Amino acid sequence: MASSPPPPPKLPIPGRRNILITSALPYVNNVPHLGNIIGCVLSADVFARYCRLRGYNAIYICGTDEYGTATETKAMEEKCTPKEICDKYHAIHSEVYKWFNIKFDKFGRTSSPEQTEVCHAIFHKLMENNWLTENTMQQLYCDTCQRFLADRLVEGTCPNKVCNAAARGDQCETCSTLLNPTELIDPKCKVCKNTPRVRDTDHLFLELPLLKDKLVNYINATSVAGMWSQNAIQATNAWLKEGLKPRCITRDLKWGVPVPHDKYKDKVFYVWFDAPIGYVSITASYTPDWEKWWKDPDNVELFQFMGKDNVPFHTIMFPSTLLGTGEKWTMMKTISVTEYLNYEAGKFSKSKGIGVFGNDAKDTNVPPEVWRYYLLMNRPEASDTLFTWADLQAKLNSELLNNLGNFINRVLSFVAKPAGYGSIVPDAPNAESHPLTKAYAEKASKWVEQYLDAMEKVKLKQGLKCAMAISSDGNAYLQESQFWKLYKEDSAACAIVMKTSLGLVYLLACLLEPFMPSLSEEVLRQLNLSPEENLSFSEEKGEITKAKSPWDFVPAGHKIGKPVPLFKELKDEEVALHREKYAGSQAERSLKAAADAEASKVANKLKGTKLSDGGPKKEQKKQSGGSKSKTAEADITVAKLDIRVGLIRKAEKHPDADSLYVEEIDVGEDTPRTVVSGLVKFIPLEEMQNRKVCVLCNLKPVAMRGIKSHAMVLAASNEDHTKVELVEPPESAAVGERVTFAGYSGDPEASLSGKSKTWEKLAAELHSNGELVACYKDVPFTTSAGVCEVKTIANGEIR
């Protein structure tokens, strides 16, 4: 069956409220993390959905920002072309946003023909109006790489005396100061790490000082009328106070929009200049009538969403560019800016790979509506906020499961009961005369008024809290009414309570749709109402007025669908698993995953090793079909395990992981080995000092929370991991001595003292994650001084 064609592009409608919504274009050199998602695309999506819910004529435009140094740098790292990088990460971004239920009208790209066309048109207008000047600037040149270094290819120390943090050549992420690479202290080429030299190069500049009067008039008028967020106003005023300077708009790069000027034909536009133009060009790829959106300020309102580090580009640079053309552009009316969402004890970072990324969220099996709710309830609107796994768990279990989910499920389940209403909505005449119902209806109406006020002012977190307050009041309403008693004692009153409660469920589905669209669809499905026909909250259709009488939302006689629970509890052990899994950086996680995979591969290979059962050698040969070489080959693999007696010289807690020890272990080499072990909750620190252990020395080193482990301490556990012991060599065993398996002499046909399953269990359980290994108490490993032992494991068998 052929898919239906996409709907025609929306255009402004005279007499309607026409709203153009953009979010900062995510850069295409990495996977977006949760801070990126709440900072721009998710926040804009909520507002766009709200506008559609209200019946406004709104479009949401976004796309990947694909030109510039960061793309070239990433392409060098991944040994491919910038175009291949853009194709790869555009697809990744699209998939992540699709999973998060982000509903764009157009999600495009800046590496498009429309981008070149619009950029060139704006450039020519600026040239005609004499807002561009030529100037010679000093730029860092790397003799090793034989190229001028763009801002992001230079790293050094921030020149801001109150900061002095590590910074890139374009901006210090610590203090948000915009920089020129030559201002950095001790600059280095990011590619070769050598010190570049300063060299002259000619560039084009936008004369911001000459445009200041036009710009200030725009800012003064629009920041008030558009109710700019306070952090946007502060950032903009700080720039104006510092004094505007001519801003270079060209760069010595290959990957970008080429400059249409003979003298500068080998240069491209600087990404700060062309990226905001991407909003226009992506709209142009959405509809050839894009000017009806972008050149009609009297009939179109422009709302823009971004993180605080993007403010100057949208309140200073981009408006100056548009003003300089002399054309009648749709200028930004309202800007909504978020602070930073931090991760556990630090900051989210794309460049360092720290935090939970879009693909990680999907892998947790926590549903997208839960992630959306958590991020929006934790939206950093006025100050930085903190993501923690414990907080995610609390909000899911307490607010979504026990509040919202509980209310909706109680109402629908009672109505659906055969002993109740048999899924048929009861009639409830004179509901307004029921005092308790009237009181709670008035409360709900006030919450709706506050919800609408917050959303119109783009105070998204407050809007969400207002909607959730209706759910809290709904639970209180059910409890106070004691509907389960009313059903037997006052059926008319019970019908009023349940019909009103069904109306509140419907109201919640509407108000929460911008925040949790998949949840709203599911609630409407359980109400047996079509989302396409019923998800609306417009004044034209009277839904806002109806909120004052929620018993009118769902008609009597309507048959509801089958109720099912909406949320699942997030358990402590799942939280602990997620916290551990997403600790450290992406690079460290990848190394650990690769090491685990390698260890698993070795274990699986060893699992099939054939060992003798101590019977006559002739019989063994017969059973193996006379093939001695296959058994010998398997046992050579066994012999490769380098297990030695080690002495723990020092053990201490891992600085960044509560469950890990870091040990310095003497294994008979010139210097001790650093080993990381997950034994904190099993063995006290004082018992880890100056004791002999068995150490597996020829595992591939793996970084664990930033510290590389160069061996593994052998330990064992019982079946349920409640007891763990170190595998301990005899006290008289020599440090560095090779540990062998009982009965194993290197002869591929030697017996294992009648315990043929010992090695098979050991092979199957062996991991490189510093944790557990399996053996038998009575026949584990031997040294020249005797048998190694495990002291307290029950029944003599370990796992």
Side-chain angles (χ1 to χ4, degrees):
M1 181 176 159
S3 58
S4 56
K10 287 184 276 186
L11 296 174
I13 301 171
R16 291 277 298 278
R17 191 172 178 194
N18 300 296
I19 299 179
L20 173 59
I21 300 161
T22 72
S23 71
L25 306 181
Y27 209 81
V28 77
N29 66 331
N30 212 324
V31 181
H33 57 60
L34 297 185
N36 304 137
I37 290 167
I38 185 58
C40 53
V41 293
L42 177 55
S43 295
D45 179 64
V46 171
F47 187 69
R49 286 178 178 274
Y50 166 76
C51 291
R52 297 183 197 115
L53 188 72
R54 294 297 311 279
Y56 305 152
N57 185 42
I59 63 169
Y60 177 18
I61 299 296
C62 190
T64 42
D65 179 7
E66 302 193 350
Y67 284 138
T69 316
T71 306
E72 285 195 356
T73 306
K74 191 70 174 179
M76 284 189 281
E77 289 174 7
E78 297 197 11
K79 296 179 174 58
C80 61
T81 66
K83 174 69 166 58
E84 289 169 334
I85 282 290
C86 292
D87 290 344
K88 172 184 174 180
Y89 283 102
H90 177 81
I92 290 172
H93 277 256
S94 297
E95 189 61 32
V96 167
Y97 302 141
K98 180 180 179 182
W99 187 81
F100 271 92
N101 280 320
I102 308 295
K103 188 178 180 181
F104 305 106
D105 287 276
K106 179 67 179 180
F107 186 71
R109 311 174 66 165
T110 58
S111 60
S112 68
E114 291 88 354
Q115 177 77 353
T116 301
E117 184 180 336
V118 178
C119 277
H120 284 184
I122 289 174
F123 171 77
H124 287 309
K125 284 290 183 183
L126 292 171
M127 286 290 286
E128 288 173 18
N129 296 335
N130 298 315
W131 297 117
L132 299 179
T133 57
E134 298 181 70
N135 208 339
T136 299
M137 63 184 290
Q138 291 187 319
Q139 193 171 337
L140 295 176
Y141 184 88
C142 179
D143 289 306
T144 306
C145 298
Q146 293 189 332
R147 62 184 292 180
F148 282 103
L149 297 180
D151 301 352
R152 286 174 177 249
L153 287 178
V154 185
E155 297 175 331
T157 302
C158 177
N160 187 342
K161 292 180 180 178
V162 298
C163 178
N164 287 133
R168 294 192 312 249
D170 61 340
Q171 187 174 14
C172 175
E173 288 188 350
T174 304
C175 67
S176 296
T177 300
L178 294 180
L179 301 168
N180 285 314
T182 53
E183 296 174 320
L184 286 176
I185 299 169
D186 191 26
K188 300 289 183 186
C189 171
K190 184 177 180 178
V191 178
C192 68
K193 308 302 180 187
N194 290 323
T195 301
R197 64 184 175 91
V198 176
R199 182 171 149 181
D200 288 346
T201 180
D202 292 337
H203 283 285
L204 289 165
F205 289 74
L206 178 64
E207 286 292 338
L208 291 177
L210 300 180
L211 286 160
K212 181 180 177 182
D213 290 344
K214 291 177 181 288
L215 178 65
V216 169
N217 288 339
Y218 157 74
I219 291 170
N220 289 342
T222 311
S223 61
V224 176
M227 295 180 289
W228 287 13
S229 56
Q230 196 58 39
N231 44 12
I233 293 172
Q234 289 170 351
T236 303
N237 287 340
W239 258 67
L240 293 173
K241 186 177 179 181
E242 221 175 83
L244 298 179
K245 301 170 185 175
R247 191 75 181 171
C248 183
I249 70 167
T250 53
R251 275 296 179 262
D252 290 294
L253 290 173
K254 299 297 182 188
W255 182 245
V257 176
V259 179
H261 189 291
D262 287 343
K263 183 177 177 181
Y264 299 99
K265 62 185 178 183
D266 292 330
K267 300 180 191 287
V268 299
F269 286 119
Y270 188 8
V271 70
W272 77 257
F273 176 80
D274 90 275
I277 295 173
Y279 301 130
V280 183
S281 72
I282 292 169
T283 311
S285 68
Y286 170 66
T287 172
D289 294 320
W290 62 270
E291 290 187 347
K292 291 182 179 180
W293 283 106
W294 280 99
K295 293 187 177 180
D296 191 1
D298 297 329
N299 292 305
V300 176
E301 303 170 58
L302 174 57
F303 285 72
Q304 298 195 290
F305 291 78
M306 68 206 65
K308 64 180 178 181
D309 51 344
N310 266 317
V311 170
F313 302 108
H314 291 78
T315 62
I316 302 287
M317 314 292 192
F318 189 41
S320 296
T321 299
L322 298 181
L323 289 168
T325 65
E327 297 178 311
K328 196 175 180 181
W329 287 91
T330 301
M331 306 284 285
M332 178 182 63
K333 175 190 173 184
T334 299
I335 181 172
S336 179
V337 176
T338 56
E339 301 290 315
Y340 292 134
L341 175 69
N342 294 322
Y343 179 66
E344 293 280 350
K347 283 187 175 182
F348 278 93
S349 172
K350 277 203 302 183
S351 58
K352 297 175 183 176
I354 294 172
V356 179
F357 289 72
N359 50 346
D360 297 331
K362 184 178 180 180
D363 292 342
T364 63
N365 291 321
V366 175
E369 62 263 27
V370 174
W371 282 110
R372 286 178 65 110
Y373 176 83
Y374 178 78
L375 291 173
L376 290 158
M377 194 58 90
N378 213 21
R379 186 174 186 250
E381 292 182 349
S383 60
D384 292 356
T385 58
L386 183 66
F387 168 92
T388 68
W389 287 102
D391 190 34
L392 173 68
Q393 180 189 29
K395 282 186 167 56
L396 168 52
N397 294 349
S398 298
E399 298 173 19
L400 292 178
L401 179 62
N402 295 337
N403 174 9
L404 179 64
N406 178 62
F407 172 65
I408 293 172
N409 194 252
R410 283 181 80 188
V411 173
L412 298 182
S413 295
F414 190 79
V415 173
K417 277 183 180 179
Y421 295 99
S423 299
I424 304 300
V425 178
D427 195 8
N430 304 316
E432 66 278 0
S433 64
H434 187 258
L436 184 65
T437 297
K438 185 179 179 182
Y440 274 97
E442 288 173 354
K443 280 187 177 183
S445 180
K446 287 179 180 176
W447 284 124
V448 168
E449 288 176 11
Q450 293 179 42
Y451 169 91
L452 295 174
D453 181 66
M455 297 300 285
E456 291 292 332
K457 293 176 180 176
V458 201
K459 294 182 177 179
L460 307 182
K461 187 194 297 187
Q462 186 58 34
L464 179 54
K465 287 180 178 179
C466 291
M468 291 297 289
I470 294 174
S471 174
S472 298
D473 283 348
N475 276 311
Y477 175 51
L478 291 179
Q479 285 302 110
E480 198 171 341
S481 72
Q482 295 189 317
F483 64 94
W484 58 93
K485 288 184 179 180
L486 286 180
Y487 184 74
K488 296 177 181 179
E489 299 170 3
D490 188 344
S491 59
C494 186
I496 289 172
V497 171
M498 297 319 297
K499 194 167 188 290
T500 301
S501 297
L502 283 168
L504 293 177
V505 169
Y506 170 82
L507 180 62
L508 284 166
C510 289
L511 300 184
L512 290 172
E513 194 278 339
F515 303 95
M516 295 181 283
S518 57
L519 174 78
S520 292
E521 287 188 16
E522 174 59 21
V523 171
L524 287 178
R525 188 193 66 78
Q526 294 186 29
L527 282 170
N528 195 24
L529 295 171
S530 164
E532 291 77 16
E533 296 174 13
N534 293 279
L535 266 181
S536 172
F537 204 66
S538 71
E539 294 192 54
E540 292 175 5
K541 296 181 181 179
E543 281 112 346
I544 295 174
T545 303
K546 217 181 263 189
K548 297 177 181 179
S549 53
W551 49 82
D552 289 333
F553 275 122
V554 185
H558 174 77
K559 186 175 183 179
I560 69 167
K562 182 182 177 182
V564 293
L566 295 167
F567 300 103
K568 180 184 174 185
E569 181 185 8
L570 186 60
K571 299 183 182 298
D572 291 343
E573 53 267 30
E574 294 176 286
V575 170
L577 183 68
H578 294 326
R579 185 184 290 113
E580 183 67 26
K581 182 176 181 179
Y582 299 111
S585 69
Q586 285 179 310
E588 290 169 342
R589 295 177 212 163
S590 296
L591 283 172
K592 186 178 184 302
D596 288 347
E598 181 66 23
S600 179
K601 185 178 176 183
V602 171
N604 287 333
K605 190 179 289 184
L606 294 176
K607 196 170 182 179
T609 302
K610 304 295 183 185
L611 296 171
S612 68
D613 60 2
K617 289 185 180 180
K618 288 182 180 179
E619 182 65 23
Q620 291 169 19
K621 287 180 182 178
K622 184 177 180 180
Q623 290 175 353
S624 65
S627 175
K628 181 177 178 179
S629 61
K630 187 173 181 181
T631 308
E633 184 182 345
D635 270 16
I636 289 169
T637 306
V638 174
K640 286 182 179 178
L641 288 173
D642 180 10
I643 301 177
R644 303 182 212 166
V645 175
L647 177 65
I648 301 176
R649 297 290 186 188
K650 182 175 75 170
E652 59 189 9
K653 290 278 193 74
H654 193 299
D656 295 318
D658 294 338
S659 63
L660 301 179
Y661 284 132
V662 180
E663 304 110 17
E664 297 295 324
I665 303 180
D666 182 357
V667 291
E669 298 170 337
D670 292 338
T671 57
R673 291 199 185 197
T674 300
V675 180
V676 182
S677 303
L679 297 168
V680 168
K681 59 184 178 181
F682 301 112
I683 300 173
L685 182 61
E686 58 271 17
E687 293 183 19
M688 292 290 291
Q689 311 294 336
N690 297 307
R691 69 182 290 177
K692 287 180 179 177
V693 288
C694 293
V695 184
L696 183 55
C697 293
N698 61 339
L699 287 174
K700 183 179 179 181
V702 60
M704 301 179 71
R705 296 300 296 271
I707 296 178
K708 189 165 283 190
S709 182
H710 294 272
M712 184 180 83
V713 176
L714 297 192
S717 80
N718 59 353
E719 190 72 35
D720 60 3
H721 287 246
T722 56
K723 293 182 179 181
V724 171
E725 286 288 347
L726 293 173
V727 178
E728 202 166 43
E731 191 57 39
S732 57
V735 171
E737 179 187 351
R738 181 79 180 265
V739 178
T740 58
F741 301 102
Y744 178 72
S745 62
D747 181 349
E749 300 195 40
S751 81
L752 204 56
S753 302
K755 294 287 186 180
S756 62
K757 289 187 177 179
T758 303
W759 170 249
E760 291 178 12
K761 283 183 68 67
L762 174 63
E765 299 291 339
L766 189 58
H767 298 285
S768 64
N769 61 1
E771 291 182 359
L772 302 168
V773 79
C775 60
Y776 280 80
K777 180 180 177 182
D778 54 347
V779 190
F781 313 105
T782 61
T783 70
S784 59
V787 178
C788 303
E789 64 176 337
V790 176
K791 296 176 182 176
T792 64
I793 306 302
N795 303 323
E797 183 177 335
I798 299 166
R799 220 146 78 113

